[in-house]
Amino acid sequence: MATDEECRAALGRVAERLAGVDAERGAAQVVGRTISCRVPDLGLAYRTRLHRGGLDAVTSDPAPQDAQVRLTVASDDLVALADDELSPAKAWATGRLKIEASLFDLLRLRKLL
């Protein structure tokens, strides 16, 4: 099981990857959204805001159910996703990554990842 620090670092790597997305491609797909990432094996949740300028800093999230896009993933899987050892599509298809969002948000997210 990964630690809180390892999960925060993993989320930081994901944020860096999103920041590296071509600006035109990103601008076409990004709409301001709050994103929560719940890590049930640690009993933690994190929050950020995705916008055309990238991602805001990741903070602890006391109310992850209020986010517009809600991810649920085990700590080790979060680290594997951030390290490109696990693809988001495979994680989702096998139930290791759960995503709650509108259909339009899901389609936008898929194009960014």
Side-chain angles (χ1 to χ4, degrees), residues 11-33:
L11 290 168
R13 290 191 297 278
V14 170
E16 288 173 8
R17 189 178 314 143
L18 286 174
V21 169
D22 176 57
E24 284 184 34
R25 183 177 147 217
Q29 300 305 321
V30 173
V31 180
R33 292 286 182 259

Side-chain angles (χ1 to χ4, degrees), residues 12-67:
R13 290 191 297 278
V14 170
E16 288 173 8
R17 189 178 314 143
L18 286 174
V21 169
D22 176 57
E24 284 184 34
R25 183 177 147 217
Q29 300 305 321
V30 173
V31 180
R33 292 286 182 259
T34 54
I35 301 173
S36 71
C37 180
R38 196 170 64 83
V39 184
D41 57 323
L42 295 179
L44 298 172
Y46 307 95
R47 177 178 292 251
T48 188
R49 180 150 181 84
L50 177 66
H51 48 81
R52 291 182 192 257
L55 285 174
D56 290 344
V58 174
T59 60
S60 294
D61 189 359
Q65 68 279 3
D66 294 340

Side-chain angles (χ1 to χ4, degrees), residues 62-84:
Q65 68 279 3
D66 294 340
Q68 294 163 311
V69 177
R70 295 171 301 283
L71 310 173
T72 303
V73 63
S75 59
D76 288 337
D77 290 335
L78 175 59
V79 172
L81 285 163
D83 291 339
D84 284 333

Side-chain angles (χ1 to χ4, degrees), residues 14 17-18 21 25 71 88-89 97 99 108-113:
V14 170
R17 189 178 314 143
L18 286 174
V21 169
R25 183 177 147 217
L71 310 173
L97 170 65
I99 304 171
R108 285 186 193 109
L109 220 103
R110 187 191 67 138
K111 290 181 182 180
L112 285 175
L113 300 175

